[in-house]
């Protein structure tokens, strides 16, 4: 079985090697510290996800609550799961006891529901605020202008901790967009918002992770470049 996977999923190993090399090269070039590589699992069967976990990519990113719930019990127990997709308030309860971070918080209403469900689960939840950095109508995320107000509102909640920012720069976006996100991150850190502990800038996907690292990202989220093209 393990041997079957080794040959059938060998391309994943090649991809991990290539991504890791590129990340290390970028870190040296741009003087970055540690950069976490997240495996984005949407549409990927759990066997492939577990293969990536076995080979060192223990951080998983989930987009869809339903899909996550159908796979989570099959995941390798070494995996750490963070939620990165658009999240409806009525679905928070399904993930509040099992994910370590919700990266896609873009409203006070959502943060309040996370606070409530985290309390029920007897824990606190780490969250990132998602910024709609390209001001795209089709994308979720709070506008850059509303970031400080939202962060201050969330800081009032007892069972939620702001630990980072997340963004999906538009495809082909100018590097200025990445740098703007970097500045927002540094600015917010400088504001020393109560109880916030801003450590992670989650930015960069298959097509732009090197650019993202250049502009301060320390968590990149990789799907296609790792598991291959999604067919949906
Ligand atoms: C799908 C997805 C990714 C990964 O995208 P790829 O281009 O396949 O690497 C990263 N972040 C989020 C929020 C996603 O939905």
């Amino acid at each position: 079985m393990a041997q079957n996977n080794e040959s059938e999923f060998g391309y994943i190993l090649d991809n991990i090697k290539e991504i890791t090399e590129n990340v290390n090269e970028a870190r040296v070039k741009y003087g970055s510290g540690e950069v976490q590589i997240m495996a984005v699992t949407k549409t990927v069967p759990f066997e492939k996800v577990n293969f990536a976990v076995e080979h060192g990519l223990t951080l998983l990113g989930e987009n869809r609550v339903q899909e996550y719930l159908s796979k989570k019990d099959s995941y390798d127990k070494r995996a750490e799961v963070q939620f990165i997709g658009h999240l409806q308030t009525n679905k928070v309860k399904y993930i509040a006891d099992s994910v370590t971070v919700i990266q896609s918080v873009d409203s006070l209403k959502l943060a309040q529901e996370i606070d409530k469900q985290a309390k029920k689960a007897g824990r606190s939840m780490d969250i990132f605020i998602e910024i709609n950095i390209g001001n795209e109508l089709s994308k979720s995320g709070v506008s850059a202008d509303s970031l400080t107000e939202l962060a201050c509102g969330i800081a009032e909640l007892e069972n939620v901790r702001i630990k980072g920012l997340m963004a999906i720069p538009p495809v082909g976006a100018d590097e200025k967009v990445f740098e703007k996100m970097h500045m927002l991150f540094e600015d917010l850190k400088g504001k020393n918002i109560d109880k916030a502990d801003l450590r992670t800038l989650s930015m960069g996907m298959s097509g732009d992770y090197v650019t993202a690292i250049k502009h301060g990202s320390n968590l990149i989220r990789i799907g296609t470049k790792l598991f291959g093209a999604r067919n949906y």
Side-chain angles (χ1 to χ4, degrees):
M1 179 71 182
Q3 215 152 17
N4 264 342
N5 283 353
E6 210 65 45
S7 49
E8 191 188 342
F9 298 164
Y11 75 96
I12 298 174
L13 212 49
D14 296 340
N15 289 343
I16 293 177
K17 191 158 166 271
E18 186 185 329
I19 296 160
T20 308
E21 278 171 8
N22 290 341
V23 167
N24 287 335
E25 211 171 280
R27 285 177 56 205
V28 170
K29 190 166 173 191
Y30 302 117
S32 326
E34 199 70 33
V35 174
Q36 285 184 281
I37 302 171
M38 166 182 274
V40 175
T41 67
K42 57 182 180 251
T43 77
V44 181
F46 72 84
E47 293 91 343
K48 283 190 185 180
V49 176
N50 286 344
F51 182 84
V53 174
E54 277 163 34
H55 291 88
L57 293 195
T58 54
L59 181 62
L60 305 182
E62 297 290 322
N63 280 78
R64 299 165 182 152
V65 171
Q66 244 19 291
E67 184 184 336
Y68 167 52
L69 295 177
S70 74
K71 294 196 288 192
K72 82 190 238 287
D73 292 336
S74 308
Y75 281 161
D76 187 309
K77 296 298 170 257
R78 285 166 288 185
E80 174 191 341
V81 175
Q82 302 188 356
F83 197 81
I84 62 172
H86 179 68
L87 183 59
Q88 291 169 282
T89 49
N90 63 353
K91 299 225 169 116
V92 174
K93 58 176 175 283
Y94 300 118
I95 64 168
D97 61 343
S98 65
V99 302
T100 59
V101 178
I102 297 176
Q103 292 201 6
S104 42
V105 176
D106 61 357
S107 73
L108 188 58
K109 183 169 156 253
L110 177 58
Q112 284 165 335
E113 178 63 16
I114 294 170
D115 179 59
K116 184 175 142 194
Q117 296 301 335
K119 187 175 183 182
K120 263 195 193 167
R123 60 175 295 186
S124 80
M125 181 70 79
D126 290 345
I127 62 115
F128 298 171
I129 296 176
E130 181 178 355
I131 317 283
N132 185 352
I133 195 65
N135 290 317
E136 294 172 286
L137 286 173
S138 59
K139 294 266 176 76
S140 33
V142 70
S143 73
D145 293 341
S146 313
L147 172 60
T148 307
E149 191 189 340
L150 177 59
C152 290
I154 295 175
E156 309 260 312
L157 303 171
E158 215 174 307
N159 309 290
V160 174
R161 294 281 176 277
I162 306 171
K163 289 289 181 77
L165 297 183
M166 191 265 258
I168 307 174
V171 177
D174 193 278
E175 278 197 38
K176 284 186 196 134
V177 174
F178 292 80
E179 191 47 28
K180 184 176 173 201
M181 193 60 213
H182 189 198
M183 296 313 297
L184 281 175
F185 181 63
E186 295 299 333
D187 281 353
L188 194 66
K189 261 199 226 172
K191 289 192 168 128
N192 291 316
I193 289 173
D194 200 27
K195 292 186 297 182
D197 181 22
L198 281 165
R199 291 169 184 271
T200 307
L201 176 55
S202 171
M203 173 167 77
M205 319 202 306
S206 290
D208 60 9
Y209 64 95
V210 171
T211 306
I213 292 169
K214 178 177 176 185
H215 295 283
S217 169
N218 56 7
L219 193 165
I220 58 171
R221 310 177 309 266
I222 310 292
T224 316
K225 269 275 161 69
L226 182 61
F227 296 116
R230 290 178 290 271
N231 36 3
Y232 65 89

